[in-house]
mmCIF file of all heavy atoms in Angstrom:
data_model
loop_
_atom_site.group_PDB
_atom_site.id
_atom_site.type_symbol
_atom_site.label_atom_id
_atom_site.label_comp_id
_atom_site.label_asym_id
_atom_site.label_seq_id
_atom_site.Cartn_x
_atom_site.Cartn_y
_atom_site.Cartn_z
ATOM 1 N N GLY A 1 42.765 16.470 9.269
ATOM 2 C CA GLY A 1 42.314 16.267 7.901
ATOM 3 C C GLY A 1 41.073 17.098 7.597
ATOM 4 O O GLY A 1 40.518 17.761 8.470
ATOM 5 N N VAL A 2 40.656 17.071 6.350
ATOM 6 C CA VAL A 2 39.412 17.731 5.954
ATOM 7 C C VAL A 2 38.424 16.650 5.534
ATOM 8 O O VAL A 2 38.815 15.591 5.041
ATOM 9 C CB VAL A 2 39.620 18.752 4.806
ATOM 10 C CG1 VAL A 2 40.456 19.923 5.271
ATOM 11 C CG2 VAL A 2 40.250 18.102 3.597
ATOM 12 N N SER A 3 37.132 16.915 5.741
ATOM 13 C CA SER A 3 36.145 15.907 5.383
ATOM 14 C C SER A 3 34.834 16.561 4.971
ATOM 15 O O SER A 3 34.606 17.744 5.219
ATOM 16 C CB SER A 3 35.905 14.945 6.545
ATOM 17 O OG SER A 3 35.273 15.608 7.622
ATOM 18 N N ARG A 4 34.015 15.748 4.346
ATOM 19 C CA ARG A 4 32.673 16.183 3.922
ATOM 20 C C ARG A 4 31.764 14.978 4.087
ATOM 21 O O ARG A 4 32.127 13.855 3.756
ATOM 22 C CB ARG A 4 32.719 16.646 2.471
ATOM 23 C CG ARG A 4 31.410 16.895 1.794
ATOM 24 C CD ARG A 4 30.822 18.252 1.983
ATOM 25 N NE ARG A 4 31.770 19.328 2.003
ATOM 26 C CZ ARG A 4 31.536 20.507 1.499
ATOM 27 N NH1 ARG A 4 30.410 20.749 0.907
ATOM 28 N NH2 ARG A 4 32.415 21.464 1.598
ATOM 29 N N ILE A 5 30.551 15.218 4.576
ATOM 30 C CA ILE A 5 29.563 14.150 4.764
ATOM 31 C C ILE A 5 28.503 14.259 3.679
ATOM 32 O O ILE A 5 27.995 15.344 3.401
ATOM 33 C CB ILE A 5 28.920 14.230 6.162
ATOM 34 C CG1 ILE A 5 29.976 13.921 7.222
ATOM 35 C CG2 ILE A 5 27.746 13.255 6.275
ATOM 36 C CD1 ILE A 5 29.493 14.059 8.656
ATOM 37 N N HIS A 6 28.198 13.124 3.065
ATOM 38 C CA HIS A 6 27.132 13.033 2.066
ATOM 39 C C HIS A 6 26.018 12.178 2.667
ATOM 40 O O HIS A 6 26.271 11.076 3.152
ATOM 41 C CB HIS A 6 27.660 12.391 0.776
ATOM 42 C CG HIS A 6 26.654 12.325 -0.319
ATOM 43 N ND1 HIS A 6 26.358 13.404 -1.116
ATOM 44 C CD2 HIS A 6 25.857 11.317 -0.735
ATOM 45 C CE1 HIS A 6 25.431 13.052 -1.994
ATOM 46 N NE2 HIS A 6 25.115 11.790 -1.781
ATOM 47 N N VAL A 7 24.807 12.703 2.668
ATOM 48 C CA VAL A 7 23.670 11.992 3.239
ATOM 49 C C VAL A 7 22.825 11.419 2.108
ATOM 50 O O VAL A 7 22.442 12.132 1.184
ATOM 51 C CB VAL A 7 22.805 12.933 4.121
ATOM 52 C CG1 VAL A 7 21.586 12.195 4.656
ATOM 53 C CG2 VAL A 7 23.636 13.491 5.273
ATOM 54 N N ILE A 8 22.543 10.113 2.197
ATOM 55 C CA ILE A 8 21.682 9.441 1.226
ATOM 56 C C ILE A 8 20.390 9.069 1.938
ATOM 57 O O ILE A 8 20.409 8.313 2.918
ATOM 58 C CB ILE A 8 22.343 8.165 0.663
ATOM 59 C CG1 ILE A 8 23.663 8.498 -0.022
ATOM 60 C CG2 ILE A 8 21.397 7.451 -0.296
ATOM 61 C CD1 ILE A 8 24.465 7.280 -0.430
ATOM 62 N N ASN A 9 19.286 9.622 1.478
ATOM 63 C CA ASN A 9 17.986 9.266 2.050
ATOM 64 C C ASN A 9 17.591 7.877 1.565
ATOM 65 O O ASN A 9 17.769 7.546 0.401
ATOM 66 C CB ASN A 9 16.919 10.290 1.657
ATOM 67 C CG ASN A 9 17.167 11.617 2.339
ATOM 68 O OD1 ASN A 9 17.355 11.673 3.544
ATOM 69 N ND2 ASN A 9 17.205 12.683 1.569
ATOM 70 N N ILE A 10 17.037 7.079 2.469
ATOM 71 C CA ILE A 10 16.659 5.710 2.141
ATOM 72 C C ILE A 10 15.197 5.676 1.721
ATOM 73 O O ILE A 10 14.311 6.086 2.474
ATOM 74 C CB ILE A 10 16.890 4.773 3.345
ATOM 75 C CG1 ILE A 10 18.370 4.760 3.709
ATOM 76 C CG2 ILE A 10 16.380 3.365 3.039
ATOM 77 C CD1 ILE A 10 18.696 3.995 4.971
ATOM 78 N N LEU A 11 14.971 5.210 0.496
ATOM 79 C CA LEU A 11 13.615 5.048 -0.015
ATOM 80 C C LEU A 11 13.182 3.607 0.222
ATOM 81 O O LEU A 11 13.957 2.681 0.003
ATOM 82 C CB LEU A 11 13.568 5.357 -1.515
ATOM 83 C CG LEU A 11 14.108 6.725 -1.945
ATOM 84 C CD1 LEU A 11 14.121 6.817 -3.465
ATOM 85 C CD2 LEU A 11 13.260 7.828 -1.354
ATOM 86 N N GLU A 12 11.954 3.428 0.665
ATOM 87 C CA GLU A 12 11.451 2.075 0.876
ATOM 88 C C GLU A 12 10.453 1.742 -0.210
ATOM 89 O O GLU A 12 9.500 2.482 -0.440
ATOM 90 C CB GLU A 12 10.808 1.958 2.251
ATOM 91 C CG GLU A 12 11.817 2.049 3.371
ATOM 92 C CD GLU A 12 11.227 1.659 4.704
ATOM 93 O OE1 GLU A 12 10.594 0.592 4.788
ATOM 94 O OE2 GLU A 12 11.384 2.434 5.648
ATOM 95 N N ARG A 13 10.703 0.615 -0.842
ATOM 96 C CA ARG A 13 9.792 0.167 -1.882
ATOM 97 C C ARG A 13 8.482 -0.265 -1.235
ATOM 98 O O ARG A 13 8.478 -0.802 -0.128
ATOM 99 C CB ARG A 13 10.387 -1.017 -2.639
ATOM 100 C CG ARG A 13 11.535 -0.628 -3.515
ATOM 101 C CD ARG A 13 11.922 -1.814 -4.408
ATOM 102 N NE ARG A 13 12.881 -1.404 -5.399
ATOM 103 C CZ ARG A 13 14.179 -1.600 -5.306
ATOM 104 N NH1 ARG A 13 14.667 -2.212 -4.266
ATOM 105 N NH2 ARG A 13 14.979 -1.193 -6.255
ATOM 106 N N PRO A 14 7.378 -0.081 -1.948
ATOM 107 C CA PRO A 14 6.111 -0.545 -1.396
ATOM 108 C C PRO A 14 6.060 -2.074 -1.389
ATOM 109 O O PRO A 14 6.710 -2.722 -2.209
ATOM 110 C CB PRO A 14 5.068 0.038 -2.357
ATOM 111 C CG PRO A 14 5.800 0.301 -3.619
ATOM 112 C CD PRO A 14 7.213 0.593 -3.222
ATOM 113 N N GLY A 15 5.291 -2.620 -0.455
ATOM 114 C CA GLY A 15 5.118 -4.063 -0.384
ATOM 115 C C GLY A 15 4.111 -4.532 -1.430
ATOM 116 O O GLY A 15 3.538 -3.734 -2.195
ATOM 117 N N ILE A 16 3.855 -5.818 -1.461
ATOM 118 C CA ILE A 16 2.890 -6.399 -2.404
ATOM 119 C C ILE A 16 1.491 -5.977 -1.978
ATOM 120 O O ILE A 16 1.128 -6.080 -0.803
ATOM 121 C CB ILE A 16 3.020 -7.935 -2.419
ATOM 122 C CG1 ILE A 16 4.422 -8.306 -2.913
ATOM 123 C CG2 ILE A 16 1.933 -8.576 -3.268
ATOM 124 C CD1 ILE A 16 4.743 -9.766 -2.806
ATOM 125 N N PRO A 17 0.689 -5.491 -2.914
ATOM 126 C CA PRO A 17 -0.649 -5.041 -2.544
ATOM 127 C C PRO A 17 -1.551 -6.221 -2.161
ATOM 128 O O PRO A 17 -1.375 -7.336 -2.639
ATOM 129 C CB PRO A 17 -1.159 -4.346 -3.807
ATOM 130 C CG PRO A 17 -0.349 -4.905 -4.916
ATOM 131 C CD PRO A 17 0.967 -5.292 -4.335
ATOM 132 N N GLU A 18 -2.487 -5.910 -1.281
ATOM 133 C CA GLU A 18 -3.454 -6.916 -0.840
ATOM 134 C C GLU A 18 -4.849 -6.366 -1.120
ATOM 135 O O GLU A 18 -5.157 -5.236 -0.752
ATOM 136 C CB GLU A 18 -3.265 -7.176 0.657
ATOM 137 C CG GLU A 18 -4.168 -8.242 1.208
ATOM 138 C CD GLU A 18 -3.921 -8.444 2.695
ATOM 139 O OE1 GLU A 18 -2.757 -8.587 3.094
ATOM 140 O OE2 GLU A 18 -4.915 -8.445 3.434
ATOM 141 N N VAL A 19 -5.670 -7.159 -1.781
ATOM 142 C CA VAL A 19 -7.018 -6.733 -2.125
ATOM 143 C C VAL A 19 -8.012 -7.500 -1.256
ATOM 144 O O VAL A 19 -7.931 -8.722 -1.138
ATOM 145 C CB VAL A 19 -7.318 -6.983 -3.625
ATOM 146 C CG1 VAL A 19 -8.740 -6.583 -3.957
ATOM 147 C CG2 VAL A 19 -6.327 -6.226 -4.493
ATOM 148 N N THR A 20 -8.936 -6.765 -0.631
ATOM 149 C CA THR A 20 -9.983 -7.386 0.186
ATOM 150 C C THR A 20 -11.341 -6.824 -0.208
ATOM 151 O O THR A 20 -11.457 -5.680 -0.656
ATOM 152 C CB THR A 20 -9.742 -7.134 1.686
ATOM 153 O OG1 THR A 20 -9.657 -5.732 1.915
ATOM 154 C CG2 THR A 20 -8.469 -7.805 2.169
ATOM 155 N N ILE A 21 -12.368 -7.639 -0.032
ATOM 156 C CA ILE A 21 -13.741 -7.197 -0.272
ATOM 157 C C ILE A 21 -14.401 -7.091 1.086
ATOM 158 O O ILE A 21 -14.382 -8.042 1.875
ATOM 159 C CB ILE A 21 -14.502 -8.200 -1.184
ATOM 160 C CG1 ILE A 21 -13.798 -8.267 -2.544
ATOM 161 C CG2 ILE A 21 -15.963 -7.803 -1.311
ATOM 162 C CD1 ILE A 21 -14.368 -9.300 -3.477
ATOM 163 N N GLU A 22 -14.975 -5.921 1.367
ATOM 164 C CA GLU A 22 -15.530 -5.670 2.686
ATOM 165 C C GLU A 22 -17.029 -5.937 2.772
ATOM 166 O O GLU A 22 -17.632 -5.697 3.795
ATOM 167 C CB GLU A 22 -15.202 -4.234 3.110
ATOM 168 C CG GLU A 22 -13.707 -4.036 3.300
ATOM 169 C CD GLU A 22 -13.359 -2.713 3.930
ATOM 170 O OE1 GLU A 22 -14.262 -1.965 4.320
ATOM 171 O OE2 GLU A 22 -12.156 -2.421 4.020
ATOM 172 N N THR A 23 -17.632 -6.401 1.710
ATOM 173 C CA THR A 23 -19.051 -6.693 1.724
ATOM 174 C C THR A 23 -19.241 -8.137 2.177
ATOM 175 O O THR A 23 -18.557 -9.039 1.691
ATOM 176 C CB THR A 23 -19.650 -6.500 0.318
ATOM 177 O OG1 THR A 23 -19.319 -5.190 -0.114
ATOM 178 C CG2 THR A 23 -21.143 -6.711 0.322
ATOM 179 N N GLU A 24 -20.166 -8.332 3.121
ATOM 180 C CA GLU A 24 -20.401 -9.690 3.609
ATOM 181 C C GLU A 24 -21.365 -10.424 2.693
ATOM 182 O O GLU A 24 -22.271 -9.837 2.111
ATOM 183 C CB GLU A 24 -20.963 -9.633 5.027
ATOM 184 C CG GLU A 24 -19.938 -9.128 6.028
ATOM 185 C CD GLU A 24 -20.483 -9.162 7.446
ATOM 186 O OE1 GLU A 24 -21.375 -9.962 7.723
ATOM 187 O OE2 GLU A 24 -19.981 -8.368 8.242
ATOM 188 N N GLY A 25 -21.152 -11.692 2.626
ATOM 189 C CA GLY A 25 -22.051 -12.511 1.818
ATOM 190 C C GLY A 25 -21.742 -12.386 0.346
ATOM 191 O O GLY A 25 -20.716 -11.861 -0.072
ATOM 192 N N GLN A 26 -22.697 -12.862 -0.445
ATOM 193 C CA GLN A 26 -22.525 -12.822 -1.892
ATOM 194 C C GLN A 26 -23.013 -11.492 -2.442
ATOM 195 O O GLN A 26 -23.978 -10.921 -1.940
ATOM 196 C CB GLN A 26 -23.312 -13.956 -2.545
ATOM 197 C CG GLN A 26 -22.735 -15.311 -2.220
ATOM 198 C CD GLN A 26 -23.476 -16.411 -2.969
ATOM 199 O OE1 GLN A 26 -24.596 -16.206 -3.433
ATOM 200 N NE2 GLN A 26 -22.846 -17.557 -3.083
ATOM 201 N N ALA A 27 -22.341 -11.031 -3.466
ATOM 202 C CA ALA A 27 -22.740 -9.778 -4.108
ATOM 203 C C ALA A 27 -23.755 -10.111 -5.190
ATOM 204 O O ALA A 27 -23.554 -11.020 -5.989
ATOM 205 C CB ALA A 27 -21.526 -9.088 -4.701
ATOM 206 N N LYS A 28 -24.855 -9.376 -5.165
ATOM 207 C CA LYS A 28 -25.886 -9.559 -6.178
ATOM 208 C C LYS A 28 -25.881 -8.353 -7.085
ATOM 209 O O LYS A 28 -25.454 -7.266 -6.694
ATOM 210 C CB LYS A 28 -27.248 -9.703 -5.513
ATOM 211 C CG LYS A 28 -27.348 -10.911 -4.623
ATOM 212 C CD LYS A 28 -28.708 -10.968 -3.992
ATOM 213 C CE LYS A 28 -28.737 -12.112 -2.988
ATOM 214 N NZ LYS A 28 -29.860 -12.041 -2.121
ATOM 215 N N ALA A 29 -26.371 -8.533 -8.280
ATOM 216 C CA ALA A 29 -26.438 -7.435 -9.236
ATOM 217 C C ALA A 29 -27.151 -6.255 -8.596
ATOM 218 O O ALA A 29 -28.200 -6.402 -7.983
ATOM 219 C CB ALA A 29 -27.163 -7.878 -10.502
ATOM 220 N N GLY A 30 -26.546 -5.064 -8.681
ATOM 221 C CA GLY A 30 -27.112 -3.837 -8.124
ATOM 222 C C GLY A 30 -26.611 -3.523 -6.730
ATOM 223 O O GLY A 30 -26.802 -2.415 -6.237
ATOM 224 N N ASP A 31 -25.979 -4.493 -6.026
ATOM 225 C CA ASP A 31 -25.434 -4.230 -4.693
ATOM 226 C C ASP A 31 -24.172 -3.383 -4.810
ATOM 227 O O ASP A 31 -23.428 -3.472 -5.791
ATOM 228 C CB ASP A 31 -25.057 -5.538 -3.983
ATOM 229 C CG ASP A 31 -26.244 -6.349 -3.512
ATOM 230 O OD1 ASP A 31 -27.373 -5.826 -3.593
ATOM 231 O OD2 ASP A 31 -26.025 -7.496 -3.073
ATOM 232 N N LYS A 32 -23.936 -2.581 -3.787
ATOM 233 C CA LYS A 32 -22.671 -1.840 -3.707
ATOM 234 C C LYS A 32 -21.657 -2.718 -2.996
ATOM 235 O O LYS A 32 -21.944 -3.268 -1.950
ATOM 236 C CB LYS A 32 -22.852 -0.524 -2.966
ATOM 237 C CG LYS A 32 -23.693 0.445 -3.750
ATOM 238 C CD LYS A 32 -23.694 1.802 -3.111
ATOM 239 C CE LYS A 32 -24.540 2.717 -3.979
ATOM 240 N NZ LYS A 32 -24.557 4.061 -3.506
ATOM 241 N N VAL A 33 -20.480 -2.840 -3.620
ATOM 242 C CA VAL A 33 -19.413 -3.676 -3.086
ATOM 243 C C VAL A 33 -18.203 -2.783 -2.803
ATOM 244 O O VAL A 33 -17.799 -1.979 -3.637
ATOM 245 C CB VAL A 33 -19.028 -4.776 -4.103
ATOM 246 C CG1 VAL A 33 -17.882 -5.616 -3.567
ATOM 247 C CG2 VAL A 33 -20.228 -5.651 -4.440
ATOM 248 N N ILE A 34 -17.639 -2.934 -1.625
ATOM 249 C CA ILE A 34 -16.429 -2.152 -1.275
ATOM 250 C C ILE A 34 -15.226 -3.058 -1.469
ATOM 251 O O ILE A 34 -15.105 -4.092 -0.825
ATOM 252 C CB ILE A 34 -16.494 -1.625 0.179
ATOM 253 C CG1 ILE A 34 -17.687 -0.677 0.343
ATOM 254 C CG2 ILE A 34 -15.180 -0.950 0.555
ATOM 255 C CD1 ILE A 34 -17.906 -0.225 1.767
ATOM 256 N N VAL A 35 -14.360 -2.638 -2.388
ATOM 257 C CA VAL A 35 -13.115 -3.352 -2.649
ATOM 258 C C VAL A 35 -11.982 -2.455 -2.159
ATOM 259 O O VAL A 35 -11.881 -1.296 -2.544
ATOM 260 C CB VAL A 35 -12.948 -3.655 -4.154
ATOM 261 C CG1 VAL A 35 -11.637 -4.368 -4.393
ATOM 262 C CG2 VAL A 35 -14.114 -4.470 -4.667
ATOM 263 N N ARG A 36 -11.142 -2.981 -1.271
ATOM 264 C CA ARG A 36 -10.051 -2.164 -0.688
ATOM 265 C C ARG A 36 -8.705 -2.776 -1.080
ATOM 266 O O ARG A 36 -8.505 -3.968 -0.948
ATOM 267 C CB ARG A 36 -10.197 -2.124 0.825
ATOM 268 C CG ARG A 36 -9.173 -1.235 1.485
ATOM 269 C CD ARG A 36 -9.400 -1.141 2.974
ATOM 270 N NE ARG A 36 -10.775 -0.755 3.263
ATOM 271 C CZ ARG A 36 -11.166 0.458 3.668
ATOM 272 N NH1 ARG A 36 -10.266 1.397 3.800
ATOM 273 N NH2 ARG A 36 -12.420 0.716 3.927
ATOM 274 N N CYS A 37 -7.804 -1.892 -1.542
ATOM 275 C CA CYS A 37 -6.437 -2.285 -1.879
ATOM 276 C C CYS A 37 -5.519 -1.666 -0.823
ATOM 277 O O CYS A 37 -5.543 -0.465 -0.608
ATOM 278 C CB CYS A 37 -6.055 -1.787 -3.272
ATOM 279 S SG CYS A 37 -4.371 -2.211 -3.727
ATOM 280 N N THR A 38 -4.714 -2.506 -0.183
ATOM 281 C CA THR A 38 -3.806 -2.039 0.873
ATOM 282 C C THR A 38 -2.378 -2.411 0.506
ATOM 283 O O THR A 38 -2.110 -3.518 0.040
ATOM 284 C CB THR A 38 -4.165 -2.708 2.224
ATOM 285 O OG1 THR A 38 -5.550 -2.508 2.494
ATOM 286 C CG2 THR A 38 -3.343 -2.137 3.344
ATOM 287 N N CYS A 39 -1.495 -1.449 0.721
ATOM 288 C CA CYS A 39 -0.080 -1.671 0.437
ATOM 289 C C CYS A 39 0.713 -0.988 1.534
ATOM 290 O O CYS A 39 0.464 0.172 1.858
ATOM 291 C CB CYS A 39 0.262 -1.078 -0.930
ATOM 292 S SG CYS A 39 1.977 -1.303 -1.357
ATOM 293 N N SER A 40 1.673 -1.702 2.112
ATOM 294 C CA SER A 40 2.488 -1.070 3.153
ATOM 295 C C SER A 40 3.871 -0.750 2.584
ATOM 296 O O SER A 40 4.318 -1.364 1.628
ATOM 297 C CB SER A 40 2.613 -2.012 4.362
ATOM 298 O OG SER A 40 3.184 -3.225 3.971
#
């Protein structure tokens, strides 16, 4: 017989994002705060 192969690349949807604050303690006015968003 004759044949042909078709390749479909699989795309993965991103997961639910997670937000974390990397600054310890309470943030006061004028402090620098690091906010990190992570998505796998």
Side-chain angles (χ1 to χ4, degrees):
V2 293
S3 67
R4 169 86 37 144
I5 293 176
H6 183 80
V7 177
I8 301 172
N9 291 310
I10 298 174
L11 305 174
E12 291 191 50
R13 289 189 171 99
I16 297 172
E18 183 180 311
V19 178
T20 56
I21 298 175
E22 294 189 5
T23 306
E24 292 184 26
Q26 292 184 341
K28 297 179 186 166
D31 287 352
K32 292 189 179 183
V33 178
I34 298 174
V35 179
R36 184 176 307 255
C37 179
T38 307
C39 180
S40 58

